[in-house]
Amino acid sequence: MKKTVTLTFSDGSPSIELPIEQGTYGKPVIDIRELGPHGYFTHDPGFTATSSCNSAITYIDGDEGLLYYRGYPIEELAYQSDYMEVCYLLNHGELPTAGQKMAFENSIRHHSLLHDQMENVFRGFRRSAHPMAVMIGVTGAMSAFYHEGTDLFDPRHREIVAHRLIAKIPTVAAWAYKFNEGQPFVYPQNHLSYAENFMHMMFSTPCEPYQPRPVLARALDRIFILHADHEQNASTSTVRLAGSSGANPYACVAAGMASLWGPLHGGANEAVLKMLDEMGDVSRIPEYIKRAKDKADTFRLMGFGHRVYKNMDPRARIIRQTCYEVLDELDLRDDPQFKIAMELERIALEDDYFISRKLYPNVDFYSGIIFRAMGIPPSMFTVMFALARTSGWVAQWNEMLSDPAHKIGRPRQLYTGATRREYVSLDQRRA
Ligand code: CMC
């Protein structure tokens, strides 16, 4: 028998029975859609207790610290799979066969070039523009180059959009960096893997080719896997909400990038490095821990805490291991930031403030150290996150549009403004 919950009112209004849904995993969900016709809305700023959609893509168990993509634990994917396979999995629901994987990779390879005129879009920015600003602008501009004739209700058309975005975003990302550096744009090379190709576009110049080291390419590929999707976080919800009106998908992904940029979300990786740089030495950790605990101080320990994880973020564990591998490969095991990060983690995990609030290191805590060791500057860290998350954004966008029951997203509000009043003409208004 289906479980229900009955809502009763203290003023004697008729009670309302609401169904309780149970997903494959996760906490039960009260379906409140019946409340609207009864004249009530629910109020949940920050969506702390609200499910916004059905989704079969990613599952997080925040209490246990588990993350699954399409049912596969993140650890298995990170160590046994590769990013192309994960993109296919997120977007198609199943791991590809060898033939499907080859066809998918081939399609991604053959969509990586940008329309020649898009170079002009980059050149419209100031050289000093933050690469995330360039990413958002250029991705939004893709709507002017690749959208014509797209039928959002045709699955094949949506697939082409997904392939274009997964394929072209690394080129956009690398070019945002090159533009910043004042170096010529480097074109993709189809014989390289996805991660190698990105490194090639970032680090080679017309005067010197770049030979990606296998350990670094593998680490980057793993970081892409770890960032690929994370259910209904702020940027993914932004992509879904923007897309729910039938909007241009490139513009929707640009909107998702804008949301990601904030320091509480994908911007945290850049903020972590700034924080570690500012600390400069392990001796200053107590001072920062004290500030993080002080309610009068807006400072937070960046890379710590998560809305859903009340346990160690499983991605952080993998990324810390990857950090060791990369620093070993580059002979940087004595990297001062890494030492500070490890000591900070140790001290915070023993501190009652962090223990009682279940604040653990998240995915952004160690990623910046790896990126910087690879030669990727802090201003590019959130760009790296956006690059990897694009596969998740398009999978979620596609899932939403392929649901025949999908509706435009339209939250309501608790109005707290003025009651009706008469217009006062300018000459009658008093200061
Ligand atoms: N440092 C110090 N205190 C913290 C921190 C932190 N990093 N994070 C949360 N708290 C405290 C917060 O002050 C509050 O304390 P109290 O109950 O005494 O008022 C309590 O913990 C709960 O915090 P909250 O802000 O209500 O939690 P939230 O779920 O709204 O916020 C968060 C989650 C990730 C925005 C937050 O933990 C944070 O600001 N972390 C730092 C930024 C960061 O690392 N973001 C990356 C998130 S993972 C990557 C991604 O998915 O984007």
Side-chain angles (χ1 to χ4, degrees):
M1 201 180 69
K2 199 154 191 158
K3 254 168 92 174
T4 60
V5 60
T6 305
L7 201 61
T8 56
F9 298 89
S10 52
D11 66 357
S13 307
S15 57
I16 305 169
E17 189 162 277
L18 300 168
I20 299 182
E21 303 291 340
Q22 182 60 62
T24 328
Y25 282 132
K27 299 195 165 62
V29 170
I30 302 171
D31 185 339
I32 54 151
R33 279 175 290 186
E34 261 310 296
L35 287 181
H38 281 85
Y40 292 97
F41 300 120
T42 52
H43 185 60
D44 182 20
F47 307 115
T48 56
T50 297
S51 141
S52 62
C53 59
N54 288 0
S55 183
I57 301 176
T58 292
Y59 172 68
I60 304 172
D61 183 327
D63 297 328
E64 296 296 323
L66 303 176
L67 170 61
Y68 299 160
Y69 293 162
R70 301 280 190 186
Y72 295 100
I74 191 66
E75 294 77 6
E76 291 182 20
L77 294 171
Y79 291 115
Q80 295 173 46
S81 179
D82 61 50
Y83 182 66
M84 277 295 93
E85 193 167 79
V86 167
C87 287
Y88 185 97
L89 173 69
L90 291 172
N91 281 275
H92 294 268
E94 297 297 334
L95 287 169
T97 61
Q100 287 166 332
K101 187 170 182 223
M102 200 192 289
F104 178 74
E105 284 190 82
N106 211 27
S107 172
I108 298 302
R109 282 205 171 96
H110 289 93
H111 279 98
S112 58
L113 205 58
L114 299 181
H115 188 291
D116 196 45
Q117 213 171 319
M118 284 191 72
E119 279 204 31
N120 298 335
V121 181
F122 283 90
R123 296 194 194 286
F125 284 91
R126 295 170 71 124
R127 283 275 175 205
S128 58
H130 193 288
M132 267 309 276
V134 177
M135 273 294 271
I136 294 165
V138 174
T139 305
M142 283 172 76
S143 56
F145 288 87
Y146 301 108
H147 188 57
E148 208 153 297
T150 304
D151 175 1
L152 295 183
F153 298 100
D154 182 331
R156 176 65 192 137
H157 283 209
R158 289 201 302 273
E159 191 180 19
I160 294 169
V161 167
H163 287 202
R164 279 203 175 119
L165 275 157
I166 294 169
K168 293 184 198 302
I169 289 298
T171 314
V172 174
W175 285 20
Y177 169 71
K178 286 295 195 194
F179 185 70
N180 226 211
E181 290 290 291
Q183 290 183 9
F185 298 132
V186 174
Y187 289 93
Q189 286 285 328
N190 284 353
H191 68 280
L192 296 172
S193 75
Y194 193 81
E196 286 170 342
N197 203 9
F198 175 72
M199 293 168 105
H200 153 74
M201 290 188 282
M202 279 283 289
F203 300 124
S204 63
T205 68
C207 0
E208 205 162 315
Y210 173 84
Q211 196 52 51
R213 296 200 202 195
V215 172
L216 303 191
R218 180 70 194 120
L220 196 57
D221 191 79
R222 186 176 297 151
I223 292 177
F224 290 163
I225 294 174
L226 298 180
H227 287 82
D229 196 51
H230 213 228
E231 54 121 294
Q232 307 311 318
N233 55 81
S235 57
T236 302
S237 298
T238 303
V239 172
R240 277 189 179 254
L241 191 57
S244 73
S245 68
N248 181 299
Y250 303 97
C252 296
V253 169
M257 288 178 178
S259 168
L260 185 78
W261 195 4
L264 300 188
H265 192 6
N269 51 15
E270 186 179 344
V272 169
L273 242 274
K274 275 194 188 137
M275 179 184 80
L276 296 177
D277 274 350
E278 226 179 82
M279 282 183 188
D281 190 79
V282 287
S283 62
R284 294 192 67 200
I285 292 175
E287 180 194 326
Y288 280 82
I289 298 257
K290 193 165 165 237
R291 282 188 63 196
K293 295 192 260 185
D294 181 358
K295 289 285 155 217
D297 192 330
T298 53
F299 173 77
R300 283 189 165 198
L301 215 51
M302 299 315 286
F304 267 78
H306 198 274
R307 170 63 63 77
V308 185
Y309 292 118
K310 300 302 165 200
N311 201 325
M312 184 87 174
D313 178 341
R315 302 168 301 172
R317 207 173 274 125
I318 301 168
I319 227 162
R320 185 175 47 194
Q321 176 59 33
T322 307
C323 199
Y324 280 117
E325 290 166 20
V326 167
L327 297 179
D328 273 350
E329 170 73 12
L330 296 170
D331 253 340
L332 291 172
R333 200 54 181 267
D334 289 329
D335 177 78
Q337 267 78 28
F338 188 52
K339 281 196 169 146
I340 301 173
M342 291 211 308
E343 187 58 8
L344 182 59
E345 177 183 327
R346 193 190 64 75
I347 294 177
L349 292 181
E350 286 173 0
D351 190 296
D352 201 46
Y353 174 94
F354 292 88
I355 294 170
S356 62
R357 287 169 183 75
K358 301 189 167 126
L359 300 170
Y360 293 87
N362 59 48
V363 70
D364 288 320
F365 192 59
Y366 285 105
S367 58
I369 297 171
I370 304 180
F371 290 146
R372 188 145 82 181
M374 286 179 174
I376 299 168
S379 62
M380 280 293 289
F381 293 177
T382 311
V383 169
M384 304 300 292
F385 194 153
L387 186 170
R389 184 55 58 85
T390 298
S391 56
W393 287 330
V394 292
Q396 300 268 352
W397 168 81
N398 199 7
E399 181 181 63
M400 175 186 68
L401 288 183
S402 44
D403 180 355
H406 117 263
K407 276 179 167 306
I408 186 168
R410 190 8 177 133
R412 300 306 299 264
Q413 63 171 10
L414 179 64
Y415 177 69
T416 56
T419 53
R420 188 191 187 287
R421 45 190 172 160
E422 296 294 323
Y423 178 78
V424 181
S425 61
L426 190 59
D427 57 341
Q428 299 291 309
R429 283 176 224 163
R430 312 247 174 278

